[in-house]
Amino acid sequence: MEAREIRKKFLEFFESKGHKVIPSARVLPENDPTVLFTTAGMHPLVPYLLGEPHPMGNRLANTQKCIRTGDIEEVGDTTHLTFFEMLGNWSLGDYFKEDAIKWSFEFLTSKEWLGIPLEKLAVTVFEGDDDAPRDEEAAGIWKELGVPEHRIAYMNKKANWWGPAGQTGPCGPDTEMFYWVGEGDAPMDSNPKTDEDNWVEIWNDVFMQYFKQDDGSFTPLEQQNVDTGMGLERVAAVLQGKKSAYETELFMPIIEKIEALTDQKYDDDPRGFRIIADHLRTATIMAGDGVVPSNNDQGYVMRRLMRRAIRWGKKMGIQEGFTATIAKKVIHILSDIFPELNQEEMILKIFRDEEEKFEKTIHAGLREFEKLQKRLEGDTIEGKAAFKLYDTYGYPIEMTEELAEEAGLKIDREGFDQCFKEHQEKSRAGAQQKFSGGLADDSAECTRLHTATHLLHQALRDVLGDHVYQKGSNITKERLRFDFNHDEKMTQEQLQEVENIINREIQNDLPVHFEIMDPDEAREKGVIGLFDDKYAQLDNKVKVYIMGDYSKEICGGPHVEHTGELTEFKITKEQASSAGIRRIKAVVKANSPEKF
Ligand code: SER
């Protein structure tokens, strides 16, 4: 059964059980500052699992884009993927164990749905410990449904407990479902505890009834929830009898493209094919959600994935730029499910630009690495040398580590980290001197332009889309300058629309005030801005400037008291700033009109 059909059936099945299908959230988590990416379907739902009413009700289902980057170096084997789709259904304080398990069983075994024969299934349940009791209830429900006792294994917290997604949050015991992938029939007494190689986990029903606190303790949640997760790629692979997800139709068109580009065969040596396919698929998803390669946070992970894929491409003999061609395949396979991938031109340009950038230094970097290798006396490359590869040639440290490993060498990682820290401190000090927080001073002129910057940020998102984020801001008495991610030159109509919106909000004379909030609360309320902006940080809280009902943004201030203090707003320039980043300069009309 193809992935497309599995996905469709899953969502139809849960719709038939009263669930509302919600769209996938972006891969950039909005409710959790402790992780870089959304790692599970429940992640964007945390506020609702904690009791906030969800606008679509208390039964939800979807396919969620998930990124897990803990094991990038492992990618290349049959099991690791950095991006995957998680099919999930949720009960927000509605049904609990019995319905969750019954429906999982029906979906897996009924001929109308996946039709998996009972002999190919086994389950695990939580064996109990000091935090929560042995889950006889779940085991009893499985037995009633017809799962034989010898296919039910009781396992510990490491195996049968899920969450939280970040450091604290909702979590609970789970029951997991496994599919037999061994030769012939599963032996009589075999189960996932006795034979972990031949039973592959396909679905996890979590009974979220606890909250893990900062101190590691578990307290009961007011609301009993169900959170389930089924990895689509893996289920497609096992149902199709394939060794890995890479051999399913979700990846095969990408693999075939790489075969054509390299003149090599996937079957002869699949590792490089998998690395390229996985990494560029993930980077495509990231680009669709507004990430651009950079040296920080999500952007750094994206850069690392792309550059690792490019290096493997070179290694396998690809001479020309190829990443955009692969991204195009990914878009083709997934854009009807994830419509943000339809921003094809923007995504491809990000790929071309990053590849071009790396192209300029990759060969010189490799030569530098070879020189290093020749000079080397022991088996450890100095941190300073690894830092030069990073700083001058754009080699992510993990990539240098991989190169070193292939050559049987080590890297002085501590030395590298030290150089990195020193470099960061230096550039931070420099930036501070230059901008002092983006604002030249707190004069009336700068303050007005600062308020105008917030209106501009929101108006750009309204006109161009939610992928737009501030990438830089600089204000002098004369003008504001605002950098943001967007891939195309803005049209005259778009510029006009942005101006019109801002002037409308100026006319509306919105009141401006600030509130101090928890970062989580701010995220829930849809506040935009840099959550790590040190000018807006107060004892783990953030300062949020609110302009009527139009704009909510994290900021240290200062701002005017009413937007009516601004008089007219005008854009004077729109231009490219760097790859994927546009720059707008604008002025606020002073009392003397000729000053435009
Ligand atoms: N959160 C659980 C998981 O990721 C079930 O969705 O496995």
Side-chain angles (χ1 to χ4, degrees):
M1 192 183 294
E2 291 206 344
R4 179 170 299 282
E5 198 181 344
I6 299 169
R7 194 194 284 120
K8 186 162 167 267
K9 284 194 164 188
F10 185 93
L11 299 175
E12 269 172 22
F13 176 80
F14 282 101
E15 252 182 330
S16 79
K17 306 290 181 199
H19 292 62
K20 288 276 185 298
V21 175
I22 57 171
S24 168
R26 297 192 326 149
V27 292
L28 303 169
E30 272 154 38
N31 294 311
D32 191 344
T34 65
V35 287
L36 288 178
F37 294 104
T38 300
T39 56
M42 57 73 72
H43 207 163
L45 296 173
V46 169
Y48 311 104
L49 293 162
L50 297 177
E52 186 162 317
H54 192 285
M56 302 293 278
N58 51 15
R59 293 186 183 192
L60 307 173
N62 82 355
T63 184
Q64 171 64 43
K65 296 176 285 188
C66 298
I67 292 186
R68 294 186 184 177
T69 53
D71 293 323
I72 292 181
E73 268 70 36
E74 302 293 323
V75 171
D77 63 7
T78 53
T79 55
H80 284 87
L81 291 179
T82 54
F83 165 74
F84 65 99
E85 280 181 64
M86 188 184 280
L87 298 167
N89 59 287
W90 292 276
S91 156
L92 306 172
D94 184 13
Y95 60 86
F96 201 47
K97 277 185 201 176
E98 178 151 2
D99 285 323
I101 295 178
K102 227 170 51 195
W103 289 336
S104 289
F105 185 82
E106 183 182 347
F107 182 67
L108 291 174
T109 59
S110 159
K111 290 239 156 36
E112 204 187 324
W113 305 104
L114 297 191
I116 299 175
L118 192 54
E119 311 79 77
K120 284 198 177 288
L121 289 175
V123 301
T124 59
V125 296
F126 182 52
E127 69 179 10
D129 64 11
D130 291 346
D131 298 316
R134 185 177 175 86
D135 204 349
E136 294 297 4
E137 189 187 348
I141 300 167
W142 286 120
K143 275 184 228 162
E144 252 169 58
L145 289 165
V147 178
E149 201 147 349
H150 56 268
R151 295 276 193 253
I152 303 176
Y154 289 83
M155 295 179 72
N156 64 16
K157 192 175 246 136
K158 205 163 159 241
N160 280 84
W161 186 279
W162 202 89
Q167 279 153 17
T168 60
C171 56
D174 66 47
T175 179
E176 299 181 7
M177 291 143 265
F178 291 74
Y179 185 92
W180 173 256
V181 293
E183 293 279 313
D185 296 336
M188 217 9 225
D189 55 355
S190 171
N191 67 43
K193 195 170 180 175
T194 59
D195 181 0
E196 60 177 359
D197 290 341
N198 286 315
W199 291 100
V200 171
E201 185 202 329
I202 52 172
W203 201 354
N204 183 9
D205 288 359
V206 186
F207 307 116
M208 260 176 187
Q209 52 188 127
Y210 296 96
F211 189 92
K212 186 172 184 192
Q213 306 285 355
D214 262 338
D215 63 5
S217 64
F218 296 91
T219 45
L221 283 178
E222 249 164 58
Q223 163 176 308
Q224 293 196 319
N225 308 294
V226 172
D227 154 43
T228 92
M230 176 188 264
L232 175 68
E233 293 78 359
R234 196 188 284 177
V235 173
V238 298
L239 292 187
Q240 293 173 26
K242 300 277 164 57
K243 254 207 317 275
S244 80
Y246 295 103
E247 281 128 63
T248 69
E249 74 292 344
L250 287 170
F251 280 92
M252 238 24 230
I254 308 173
I255 302 275
E256 279 161 10
K257 187 80 214 173
I258 304 170
E259 286 186 326
L261 288 165
T262 56
D263 234 359
Q264 294 180 23
K265 286 271 155 252
Y266 171 81
D267 286 336
D268 294 341
D269 188 3
R271 181 149 187 254
F273 287 89
R274 291 176 184 155
I275 291 173
I276 295 172
D278 169 85
H279 288 7
L280 296 182
R281 189 171 94 120
T282 304
T284 308
I285 295 286
M286 289 179 177
D289 275 351
V291 186
V292 278
S294 74
N295 282 341
N296 300 308
D297 302 334
Q298 288 97 343
Y300 181 65
V301 179
M302 181 172 178
R303 169 159 286 167
R304 204 176 134 192
L305 290 171
M306 291 189 72
R307 295 193 168 188
R308 186 166 187 245
I310 295 167
R311 187 176 77 85
W312 273 86
K314 298 265 170 263
K315 221 165 118 151
M316 290 166 65
I318 306 179
Q319 302 296 341
E320 303 284 298
F322 70 101
T323 59
T325 316
I326 303 293
K328 215 169 166 153
K329 285 273 168 210
V330 178
I331 292 170
H332 184 75
I333 299 168
L334 291 175
S335 60
D336 60 332
I337 309 299
F338 304 117
E340 55 284 0
L341 294 178
N342 287 318
Q343 310 169 83
E344 182 171 311
E345 266 320 300
M346 175 196 85
I347 296 172
L348 299 188
K349 184 159 183 311
I350 290 175
F351 274 65
R352 284 191 208 106
D353 289 351
E354 177 65 5
E355 190 164 5
E356 223 171 83
K357 230 184 249 169
F358 191 38
E359 191 67 36
K360 289 201 184 113
T361 56
I362 185 171
H363 295 293
L366 280 173
R367 274 199 304 276
E368 171 79 16
F369 184 83
E370 281 160 15
K371 269 202 284 187
L372 264 174
Q373 219 178 321
K374 282 200 196 108
R375 283 208 302 268
L376 206 67
E377 289 182 354
D379 66 350
T380 306
I381 295 176
E382 272 192 323
K384 223 162 108 192
F387 185 73
K388 186 169 174 204
L389 279 168
Y390 167 83
D391 196 35
T392 313
Y393 302 102
Y395 277 41
I397 178 64
E398 296 80 4
M399 200 174 102
T400 307
E401 280 176 333
E402 193 174 75
L403 274 172
E405 199 183 317
E406 283 166 22
L409 302 171
K410 289 196 284 266
I411 303 251
D412 169 16
R413 184 61 196 252
E414 256 175 46
F416 172 86
D417 290 343
Q418 187 55 34
C419 293
F420 188 78
K421 222 171 106 204
E422 279 164 20
H423 166 80
Q424 254 183 340
E425 275 159 14
K426 257 189 240 154
S427 54
R428 221 177 267 141
Q432 238 160 323
Q433 268 162 14
K434 246 192 271 165
F435 299 128
S436 82
L439 209 59
D441 57 47
D442 58 2
S443 63
E445 292 92 336
C446 284
T447 306
R448 278 201 292 267
L449 285 162
H450 192 194
T451 302
T453 303
H454 281 219
L455 295 174
L456 174 62
H457 193 178
Q458 185 58 45
L460 287 168
R461 288 167 62 88
D462 289 349
V463 173
L464 303 177
D466 278 348
H467 63 279
V468 169
Y469 279 99
Q470 171 173 337
K471 293 287 178 190
S473 164
N474 173 263
I475 294 170
T476 65
K477 282 190 181 163
E478 287 73 37
R479 54 110 185 99
L480 68 83
R481 196 181 76 199
F482 186 75
D483 291 353
F484 59 101
N485 59 314
H486 182 60
D487 207 54
E488 285 166 9
K489 188 166 177 50
M490 286 176 68
T491 62
Q492 266 316 317
E493 291 72 35
Q494 287 169 334
L495 289 168
Q496 191 58 53
E497 209 184 327
V498 168
E499 273 185 7
N500 291 348
I501 293 176
I502 297 173
N503 285 318
R504 185 191 68 209
E505 299 305 339
I506 288 174
Q507 298 257 306
N508 286 341
D509 196 18
L510 306 173
V512 178
H513 75 288
F514 69 78
E515 285 175 22
I516 307 292
M517 295 183 198
D518 272 344
D520 282 354
E521 182 193 349
R523 286 185 166 90
E524 271 158 37
K525 290 190 167 153
V527 170
I528 56 174
L530 298 172
F531 277 78
D532 56 2
D533 178 352
K534 67 179 166 34
Y535 297 98
Q537 288 275 352
L538 307 144
D539 288 341
N540 290 332
K541 306 259 185 205
V542 288
K543 187 168 174 182
V544 177
Y545 268 90
I546 299 169
M547 304 187 179
D549 56 5
Y550 188 65
S551 147
K552 282 185 260 166
E553 182 167 345
I554 290 187
C555 177
H559 285 281
V560 301
E561 288 179 6
H562 276 89
T563 56
E565 290 172 43
L566 260 51
T567 64
E568 209 181 322
F569 172 91
K570 191 167 173 53
I571 293 174
T572 52
K573 202 168 210 157
E574 191 275 344
Q575 62 193 143
S577 160
S578 58
I581 309 288
R582 307 293 306 175
R583 168 168 290 180
I584 278 182
K585 288 189 184 158
V587 294
V588 173
K589 196 171 174 181
N591 291 336
S592 46
E594 68 280 7
K595 264 193 137 178
F596 253 170

